[in-house]
Amino acid sequence: MTVDTLCVQGGWQPKKGEPRQVPVYSSTTFRYETSEQMADLFDLKAPGYFYTRLANPTNDQVAKKIAALEGGVAAILTSSGQAASTFAVLNLCQAGDHVVSSAQIYGGTFNLFAVSLKKLGIDFTFVDPDASPAEIAKALRPNTKCVFGETVANPSGVVLDIAKFAKVAHKFGVPLIVDNTFPTPVLCRPFEFGADIVTHATTKYMDGHSSQVGGCIVDSGNFDWSKYPERFAGLVAPDESYHGLSYVKAFGKQAYIVKATAHLMRDFGSIPSPFNAFLLNLGLESLHVRIRRHAESALTVAKWLKKQPKVAWVNFAGLPDSPYHKLVKKQFNGTSPCGVMTFGIKGGRAKSIKFMDALKVIGIVTHVADAWSCVLHPASHTHRQLTDAQLKAAGIPPDLIRLSVGLEDPQDLIADLKQALAKI
Ligand SMILES: *Cc1c(COP(=O)(O)O)cnc(C)c1O
């Protein structure tokens, strides 16, 4: 089945007389007939549900669809994209371990790594995603447990060369984790280029309607943890909290996701509500139609913006003259990577603000990647505490506007941008 059909029919497969739509199992708990049946679930000896903090059948049906879309063997939904990134790393790392990450990642992920996980004793080295394999390899240490990157970085738009990062990681014997939020598996499937684990903020295009926050982790099943029993002792060695069970021995290719459920969800929570999983599934049913339109409209708008004399610069990897255009052609289905771009207005911060305030159709919101077109000015919003000099050091020019192109008629969006440009 193609990705388009899987968007509609992946996951929940109703049998005779069963509901066509995935049922919402709004229940914290599940009933059993004997004490032993329940005990077997607690020991992970039998499959089944017992408490929704660990797993819920509605969530699992939707996770199964995302696993199929990515071409993976198993997936788990989380309550946010942040929870997905946290669990993806904590499933492999503990205090004293080290991670190599692309420096071009979502700001929230950067804070999670550089501040919060660092406080827990996990060390991070950030590398330029455009660095050579030899330069990236230099960042790896004996205690490195994984390499992390973002397919299309939010907001910088930098495109990750997945095969390059995978090669370096595999040569060393660690997996590559890729945040594939912006392209979604419809436009890019990182496993095909060597990534081992994929994470998502389903909050963005997968939900697609600004209706709920969520995340997902998918395992390709390709990384052989048992080849490195000491490095990945958490997956290979006996887990004392499950009477000495080894995840790899007991669950094979499902080991990573079973551990995320049985260990991290059990201890840290962060499960999404089954109703949110239901809403996510509604979004997924049209993802293939929506994301292509987002990407196509963004390219139309980017080409138009580039021709405007009052626009200083446009950064969008879908543009033929983008330094990432070749990589997009190699890694993506189609030549436009997503619906999000950045651009600057001549005259800097003040002009950019005046321009944004003049927009009528395009809204000012923090979010990106949903049906409504929107803009954000990092210098006034997400990064407002920084001076112009500090912004430049962080790679965010003071005039930078992030534009997320929605599902409206692109000509209406261009008309709105045009009237706002005329007012400055
Ligand atoms: C939004 C976002 C996240 C975080 O997701 P939340 O659901 O907001 O926690 C992670 N990665 C990327 C690329 C994002 O755009």
Side-chain angles (χ1 to χ4, degrees):
M1 260 193 250
T2 67
V3 158
D4 287 36
T5 305
L6 289 170
C7 279
V8 184
Q9 296 203 9
W12 171 241
Q13 304 279 325
K15 295 189 250 341
K16 179 171 175 262
E18 285 184 342
R20 137 75 178 87
Q21 190 50 269
V22 58
V24 179
Y25 289 93
S26 187
S27 182
T28 57
T29 195
F30 302 82
R31 191 192 156 180
Y32 290 91
E33 282 153 356
T34 68
S35 169
E36 199 184 342
Q37 287 171 349
M38 182 81 102
D40 283 350
L41 293 173
F42 269 96
D43 283 351
L44 303 181
K45 276 189 198 151
Y49 298 94
F50 55 97
Y51 192 49
T52 287
R53 169 155 41 77
L54 284 92
N56 174 281
T58 307
N59 296 4
D60 279 359
Q61 291 301 328
V62 182
K64 220 163 106 183
K65 175 179 281 191
I66 299 174
L69 286 171
E70 288 286 6
V73 294
I76 183 174
L77 296 190
T78 58
S79 56
S80 68
Q82 285 299 101
S85 307
T86 307
F87 279 22
V89 171
L90 286 186
N91 214 23
L92 299 173
C93 297
Q94 61 185 40
D97 289 341
H98 173 253
V99 177
V100 173
S101 173
S102 161
Q104 294 291 338
I105 50 174
Y106 174 64
T109 315
F110 186 83
N111 268 328
L112 166 70
F113 290 175
V115 181
S116 297
L117 291 184
K118 200 154 189 165
K119 280 185 186 165
L120 297 183
I122 302 168
D123 208 3
F124 288 81
T125 301
F126 295 95
V127 295
D128 180 351
D130 294 331
S132 72
E135 283 172 307
I136 299 165
K138 264 194 233 151
L140 288 138
R141 304 179 191 162
N143 60 338
T144 302
K145 293 293 173 75
C146 58
V147 176
F148 188 97
E150 206 165 296
T151 321
V152 180
N154 174 12
S156 73
V158 167
V159 180
L160 190 80
D161 187 335
I162 298 168
K164 176 179 78 178
F165 272 79
K167 248 191 206 153
V168 174
H170 293 164
K171 197 167 165 202
F172 186 81
V174 295
L176 173 64
I177 304 174
V178 170
D179 179 336
N180 196 35
T181 296
F182 268 13
T184 82
V186 176
L187 297 184
C188 177
R189 301 215 304 171
F191 295 158
E192 291 172 5
F193 303 94
D196 302 285
I197 312 282
V198 156
T199 61
H200 282 282
T202 60
T203 316
K204 311 292 164 57
Y205 290 117
M206 283 192 171
D207 167 74
H209 301 82
S210 281
S211 70
Q212 41 96 25
V213 171
C216 185
I217 309 171
V218 189
D219 184 7
S220 66
N222 292 336
F223 195 87
D224 187 0
W225 312 105
S226 59
K227 233 172 118 179
Y228 311 94
E230 274 166 34
R231 182 171 291 156
F232 301 111
L235 283 153
V236 183
D239 182 346
E240 290 318 318
S241 71
Y242 281 110
H243 316 299
L245 167 144
S246 150
Y247 290 104
V248 165
K249 268 197 200 137
F251 301 104
K253 283 187 182 299
Q254 310 271 330
Y256 178 88
I257 294 297
V258 172
K259 181 177 184 288
T261 302
H263 170 210
L264 296 176
M265 273 301 174
R266 180 195 64 183
D267 293 358
F268 295 104
S270 307
I271 196 100
S273 127
F275 185 67
N276 277 10
F278 169 82
L279 290 177
L280 171 58
N281 190 53
L282 289 186
L284 290 169
E285 285 192 1
S286 62
L287 176 66
H288 53 305
V289 181
R290 292 184 292 103
I291 186 73
R292 290 204 180 94
R293 165 81 180 227
H294 279 291
E296 219 173 88
S297 296
L299 186 57
T300 305
V301 171
K303 281 181 174 163
W304 182 85
L305 274 174
K306 219 173 146 98
K307 286 190 287 198
Q308 305 313 306
K310 288 181 183 171
V311 172
W313 55 272
V314 181
N315 175 14
F316 183 60
L319 288 169
D321 62 352
S322 157
Y324 297 105
H325 194 65
K326 239 174 89 183
L327 194 52
V328 169
K329 271 185 147 167
K330 179 188 150 198
Q331 275 181 183
F332 289 61
N333 300 316
T335 53
S336 183
C338 60
V340 181
M341 72 189 72
T342 55
F343 65 97
I345 300 286
K346 283 182 189 159
R349 187 195 283 251
K351 279 273 164 72
S352 289
I353 292 171
K354 205 170 162 205
F355 164 77
M356 281 177 54
D357 288 349
L359 291 167
K360 290 175 179 154
V361 178
I362 301 168
I364 298 174
V365 301
T366 310
H367 196 47
V368 279
D370 68 75
W372 280 48
S373 291
C374 59
V375 285
L376 177 82
H377 184 228
S380 323
H381 306 135
T382 47
H383 298 68
R384 66 175 290 118
Q385 69 281 16
L386 305 188
T387 63
D388 279 10
Q390 286 172 322
L391 282 169
K392 268 197 190 119
I396 298 166
D399 63 348
L400 183 147
I401 294 170
R402 183 180 70 183
L403 169 63
S404 174
V405 175
L407 298 176
E408 304 91 342
D409 185 332
Q411 293 313 319
D412 283 336
L413 301 177
I414 286 172
D416 193 33
L417 294 164
K418 193 173 175 181
Q419 65 81 25
L421 281 174
K423 291 206 176 105
I424 58 169

